Each structure stands twice: as C-alpha cells, then as structure tokens.
Amino acid sequence: MPQSKKHLRDPDKTKIRIMAAATAEFAKMGLGGARVDVIAARAKVQKRMMYHYFGNKETLYRTVLEEAYSKFRAAEAALEIENDPPLQALKRLMEFTWNYYLENPEFISLVSTENLHKAKYLKKSPRLELLNKDFVKRMELLLSRGVKAGVFRPHLDAVQVLIALAGLAYHYLTNQHTGEIVYGRSLMTIEARQARLSFNIEVITHALCQPEALIVMREAA
Amino acid sequence: MPQSKKHLRDPDKTKIRIMAAATAEFAKMGLGGARVDVIAARAKVQKRMMYHYFGNKETLYRTVLEEAYSKFRAAEAALEIENDPPLQALKRLMEFTWNYYLENPEFISLVSTENLHKAKYLKKSPRLELLNKDFVKRMELLLSRGVKAGVFRPHLDAVQVLIALAGLAYHYLTNQHTGEIVYGRSLMTIEARQARLSFNIEVITHALCQPEALIVMREAA
DNA sequence: ATCATAAATAACTATTTAGTTATTTCAAGA
DNA sequence: TCTTGAAATAACTAAATAGTTATTTATGAT
C-alpha cells in the first residue's frame, strides 16, 4: 500500500519525528518489547529512514537515552540554586526533581529500562560522563553552606543525599501502579501528589537539619 | 537433535524448574525481551511443557510475578515486629527490606518491569489483593506505639512512611547501574552497601522522631 | 500384567521482526 | 538548466518467535 502523503525532504524534522516516536515506544515497551515497525509508523516515516539515520535499533535506543539524560541535566543545571539560602535551595531542588519526573514519565521509564539491562548501553556512551560530574559538587557546596549557617547537620555525604532525594520521588512515581494495588489507595490524584511532595520535603528536611533547627521551625509554624 | 538425557516424570519439579528459569529470564529481559525458548532451555525442559502447565507466556509471567510478591510478603510478615520497641521495630523492618531486595534482585526487577506495563498483569491477579492489606495496619500500629512512647512525631501517614522506607532501598538498588555512572562511584562494595543501609535508617529515623528525641540520642552516642 | 492417563518428546508452522536491496524523487550548487 | 548526491519510498528476506500437532513413554491404580 503506497503512502498517501509524501513527505517533503527535511532530514532534521525526520530525525526529530523518529526520536519522538522511539522515545515513546522504548519508554512504553522497554528495549526488548519495542518494535521498529511501530516506531516507524508513529513517526510516519519509512522504516528505512530509521536505519538510514540511526543505523540500528540498539543505537536508536542509546541515542534516545542520551538525549533524555542530557535534557534532564540541562534543566537541572538551569535551576541555579547556588544563591538561594540552603533550606530553600534544597526545597527548590526537590520540587524541580518531582515535577520533572512527573512531567516526563518517559524519562524515568527509560532509566528503569536501562537499569534492567545493567546500564549496558549507557556505558557505551562517552557523551554522558561529562554531564554528571559537577552536580555532585553542587550538592557538596549546598551542604557545606547549610552547615556553616548552622541549619544542616555536619558530615553528610552529598551522593547519599542526592540518591535519597531522587529516590523518594522516583520510586513513588515509577512504582505508582503496583503501589496503588499494594496500598489500596489512589496515589496520583492532585491531592495525593501534593501530599507526597510535601512529605518528601519533610523527610529530607528532617534528615539534613540539626534537631535544634527543627524545633525552631516547629515553633515558628 | 534429540535430548541426551531424558527426564523422569515429576510434574512438580518440572513446574518448579520452569518457574525458576522464567523468573530469571523475565527479571533479566523484561516481559517483551524474555524468550520462551530461552526459558525452556534454562529449565532443561521441552518448550511444550511450559504451554502444558502454564498456558502461555503471559500467564507464566503473571504466575512468576505473583509468586515473587507472595514470597516477599510472607518473609515480611514472619518478621513479627509487633513486640519490639518502636525504634527497634523500624530499624529491623528497614534492615529486612534492604536485605531482601539485595538478596532477591529478581524481585525488584520484576516489580519494575510490571510497573513499566502499568501493573496491567498484577491487576488481573485476585490472589495478591489480600496479601497486602494488613501490613499497612502493622505500620499504623507501629507509628501509634512510637507516638505514645514520645519518640515519634504525631500525625504521620503510614502509607507515606512505607513508601519512603521501601523507596530509599529500592531506588538505590534498582538504579545502581546508572547510579555508578552518574555518581562516578562504586555503589555495591560491602562498605558502600553498609553505608547506604545506615544512611537510610538515619534518614527515616530523623524523619519520624521528635527532634527532642534526636537530641537525646545524639548526646547518648 | 495391563490399561488408562498424564508426562514428556519431537517436529512443525504461521507470523512477526530486524534489517536489506533496489529504485525513485527532489533540491541545491555548478 | 542540468547534474549529482542525499532523502524518501517500495518491496523483500532471513531469522527468530510464540504457539501447535502428533507421538511416544512412564507410572500408578485396578
């Protein structure tokens, strides 16, 4: 069956359409479950074009993954929490993380899929190594500013904090579907989402702050 | 090529071998990536037997998932934290969760895979609904005991706490592979694992305890 | 012992799937 | 305007894959 509408020649847009379709399909079906033909159909592109621009399914997957990561890190860096007071910076970072995951569910799906494969494909990607170096530094700076201000507890490990911070949001959202069954409760209503974000901020605040600072905050409330 | 070794007739052991092989394959490859032929080969069973005992690939997957969940809940219930003092009960529960995830990586992989599919298959499983009801009750009891003892903060939501508790362990372990790339640090050495468990306990303790209790604990240390 | 039944084996098939070969068409630079 | 190289289309293929049909074989009850 010949295609009714022929495409004008536009390699950039073609590539973008393939990437968008592939992102959706890989996020939904995983690497093994994704179908090249489905991607081509969604992108409204001849399958041959995917092979032309990306070589094969695996490379396309890797490219999708790289793109997703680099967009996330770019958005995060744009936050510029450096100048906020420590507690507010922490809160802003958590809100950003939560909202980004919420608004970009395909990002967390892709990361989960990649972890299923033990990050085999991300390891092949030299491009990503650079991106992630300095945001550990940013957290270290934030923590030491907080300690200096007398509000954070000393000797906290930035990586542990970062993983906790991400994990509290990530796990709730990725595991929302089994979660709703297991906990017998709707987890994604507006109220539930707001309650969760507040709770996460509360957990991290309590984990990082000096107990004395917490008492002051409680009195103030 | 005829199979060199013929199997004695033992339907139970055959089913168990198929389940074990399927668990490994689904955990490693996801639902879409898993191959029925690989499962049969690993189980050292004719592929026909899988269809004989389980009907089809999807049902086998669902059975594997149900089994994994029910084993986990059984192990958890066997903990019997009801009689421990609140803080100790909390600590034991966190240690159990951490160690269970660590020792049963296929469980968390299966749960992640199932969530990729929006829990479509678990929803079809009436068997699981029952299992999960009373462990929210157990956490509610634990929290109220802690409040009564003056050690926990009041008005905490048991479900939020349970999700936080699971999430801190789950996310670290499922995302260990991308995590090692992103944070440029080994996350699974004995020391790293111990450090993480301690950190998680610290986070939850600080989140749940009254600041005054934290000060007392700090002085005591 | 033998017979009925379920367990196990062997061989096959219709589809699906990733990837290719071959051809046509457009658009920009000479 | 003509030519050339890349963009797009069309049609194909070999391998993989879930699921079947047909047959043989062991075992426990009679």
Side-chain angles (χ1 to χ4, degrees), chain A residues 6 8-9 34-37 47-48 51 56-58:
Chain A
K6 299 207 172 183
L8 299 180
R9 297 192 173 195
R35 296 292 163 245
V36 172
D37 294 85
K47 179 168 58 161
R48 188 65 187 78
Y51 288 96
N56 57 32
K57 184 184 176 182
E58 188 185 311

Side-chain angles (χ1 to χ4, degrees), chain A residues 23-170:
Chain A
T23 301
E25 173 74 359
F26 285 126
K28 191 178 169 197
M29 304 303 292
L31 174 57
R35 296 292 163 245
V36 172
D37 294 85
V38 172
I39 292 170
R42 278 183 87 132
K44 288 175 186 165
V45 148
Q46 282 282 336
K47 179 168 58 161
R48 188 65 187 78
M49 298 315 286
M50 188 280 274
Y51 288 96
H52 184 242
Y53 289 117
F54 297 95
N56 57 32
K57 184 184 176 182
E58 188 185 311
T59 306
L60 177 61
Y61 167 76
R62 221 179 54 215
T63 310
V64 161
L65 191 68
E66 283 174 7
E67 186 75 5
Y69 255 108
S70 83
K71 276 184 185 166
F72 174 62
R73 290 302 174 207
E76 193 185 58
L79 256 188
E80 291 183 35
I81 53 171
E82 289 74 16
N83 303 314
D84 292 328
L87 254 177
Q88 195 193 323
L90 190 70
K91 203 180 154 189
R92 279 189 64 214
L93 182 57
M94 292 197 72
E95 279 167 354
F96 162 79
T97 306
W98 176 263
N99 288 323
Y100 193 90
Y101 289 169
L102 198 59
E103 289 158 19
N104 300 274
E106 70 292 345
F107 173 65
I108 51 182
S109 287
L110 289 169
V111 173
S112 294
T113 288
E114 177 61 5
N115 275 288
L116 187 75
H117 297 287
K118 307 197 185 213
K120 179 176 160 186
Y121 304 97
L122 199 63
K123 274 181 190 146
K124 292 183 188 167
S125 164
R127 179 175 155 204
L128 262 287
E129 311 250 347
L130 317 160
L131 272 172
N132 296 303
K133 293 244 156 110
D134 43 50
F135 84 98
V136 175
K137 293 270 171 205
R138 279 208 295 278
M139 178 53 76
E140 279 167 354
L141 194 72
L142 171 56
L143 289 176
S144 69
R145 282 201 295 130
V147 172
K148 211 164 280 173
V151 60
F152 288 168
R153 299 192 291 128
H155 312 305
L156 287 163
D157 182 334
V159 169
Q160 300 286 13
V161 172
L162 281 168
I163 297 177
L165 202 147
L168 285 170
Y170 190 104

Side-chain angles (χ1 to χ4, degrees), chain A residues 186-207:
Chain A
S186 183
L187 300 178
M188 292 300 284
T189 60
I190 320 106
E191 305 86 54
R193 285 188 274 126
Q194 281 175 343
R196 185 63 194 183
L197 175 57
S198 301
F199 182 82
N200 285 346
I201 292 174
E202 203 181 306
V203 167
I204 291 294
T205 304
H206 281 77

Side-chain angles (χ1 to χ4, degrees), chain A residues 153 202-215 218, chain B residues 87 90 150-153 201-221:
Chain A
R153 299 192 291 128
E202 203 181 306
V203 167
I204 291 294
T205 304
H206 281 77
L208 299 199
C209 284
Q210 294 280 15
E212 289 81 358
L214 292 172
I215 293 173
R218 190 180 55 195
Chain B
L87 254 178
L90 189 71
V151 60
F152 287 168
R153 297 192 292 129
I201 292 174
E202 203 181 307
V203 167
I204 292 293
T205 304
H206 280 77
L208 299 198
C209 285
Q210 294 280 14
E212 291 80 358
L214 292 173
I215 292 174
V216 171
M217 287 166 64
R218 190 180 54 195
E219 316 282 78

